Amino acid sequence: MPKKRTETDKASGTVPGNAEAPARRAADRGRYGRLSRERVLATALEIVDRDGLSALSMRGLGAELGVEAMALYRYADGKDALLDGLVEAFFVALETDLDAGKAAPGWREELDRIARAAYGVALRHPHVVPLLATRLLSTPLARRPAAVLRADERIIALLRDAGLSDRQAVRLHRAFTAWLLGWLTVELRAMDDDPDEPDPAFRLGLHRLPARELPRLRESAPLMAERGGPEDLSEGLDALLRAFT
């Protein structure tokens, strides 16, 4: 059965899955106007938010924008560059949210505000969260996107201005960023085996966990599936800061 054409397909004159559809030249402007790096990355983020990281490809992104994949290489030289761009987009969103709010009166409270803002961005773009570790793990400091570096600068400056020594600030920055990344990863990890199943046990797929080998995990899984939320985040951060100060 042929796929149903979308309104976008109708407007562009293409047919999904049709190898004979007219090809676009690399110089084409695309369906919605001229390309730009911001527009390319924004569309890549939309695809990942909607369909997950596995759905992102240069060819699929070009189709979404209405251009040939080759037209994208002016703005990203491959999928790795797109993934780095998603990390950049995450930190740009974090920076925007922080700048839109009011700074907290103390450095501990400001770290809490930063952590909560990061959690908010992570909820909007959960599929990007794993990239915060995998992409930065292999990217040297000086080659990271400017928005990522500004986030580090914000925290280091906050701690130094509060009177911490350079070494103290670096140690606390490392602990804070490592803890926050770990917390977000655990908070947003996949738990549902069958999201449409109303019964909690079957939704989590507990029948797949051997009862004799994993009895405590089976008992705890429903609670583990509940989100901790910003309050748990703040409590964990407070415990961390007490250990360092």
Side-chain angles (χ1 to χ4, degrees), residues 15-243:
V15 179
N18 185 356
E20 298 180 358
R24 291 179 175 270
R25 298 185 305 274
D28 281 356
R29 292 177 50 156
R31 297 191 185 107
Y32 307 111
R34 192 174 300 279
L35 293 180
S36 67
R37 184 172 183 274
E38 291 74 17
R39 185 167 156 238
V40 168
L41 292 182
T43 304
L45 185 60
E46 290 174 4
I47 292 173
V48 170
D49 286 343
R50 183 184 67 220
D51 301 321
L53 283 170
S54 62
L56 182 63
S57 68
M58 297 295 279
R59 184 176 180 180
L61 179 57
E64 191 89 3
L65 289 163
V67 299
E68 290 179 343
M70 288 301 296
L72 303 178
Y73 283 86
R74 182 183 303 177
Y75 311 99
D77 59 8
K79 185 172 180 179
D80 282 348
L82 290 179
L83 298 179
D84 290 339
L86 294 178
V87 173
E88 179 182 359
F90 184 99
F91 280 91
V92 168
L94 173 59
E95 186 176 43
T96 300
D97 289 357
L98 288 171
D99 290 346
K102 183 179 180 180
W107 66 267
R108 291 176 177 82
E109 293 82 4
E110 181 65 5
L111 284 180
D112 182 78
R113 189 175 81 94
I114 293 171
R116 284 177 174 246
Y119 180 44
V121 177
L123 289 178
R124 300 200 300 269
H125 309 295
H127 297 300
V128 179
V129 171
L131 298 177
L132 304 183
T134 58
R135 298 309 302 170
L136 297 183
L137 188 65
S138 59
T139 306
L141 177 68
R143 295 183 180 273
R144 293 174 187 172
V148 177
L149 298 177
R150 288 195 298 269
D152 290 329
E153 174 71 16
R154 181 190 292 264
I155 296 172
I156 293 291
L158 171 68
L159 299 175
R160 290 302 307 279
D161 291 346
L164 278 69
S165 70
D166 190 32
R167 185 170 295 278
Q168 288 174 325
V170 168
R171 289 182 67 237
L172 189 48
H173 169 268
R174 180 181 292 122
F176 171 76
T177 53
W179 175 83
L180 179 58
L181 177 58
W183 196 90
L184 292 177
T185 300
V186 171
E187 177 80 344
L188 299 177
R189 62 184 170 175
M191 291 292 292
D192 288 344
D193 183 56
D194 183 357
D196 297 326
E197 171 59 55
D199 186 288
F202 286 101
R203 185 175 68 250
L204 293 172
L206 298 188
H207 58 288
R208 302 183 188 279
L209 303 178
R212 290 186 178 181
E213 296 178 27
L214 306 170
R216 299 303 186 193
L217 183 59
R218 282 173 58 109
E219 291 176 3
S220 302
L223 290 176
M224 293 172 65
E226 296 178 4
R227 291 238 172 109
E231 295 306 320
D232 277 9
L233 181 150
S234 293
E235 289 181 8
L237 177 58
D238 183 61
L240 174 72
L241 297 182
R242 286 201 305 270

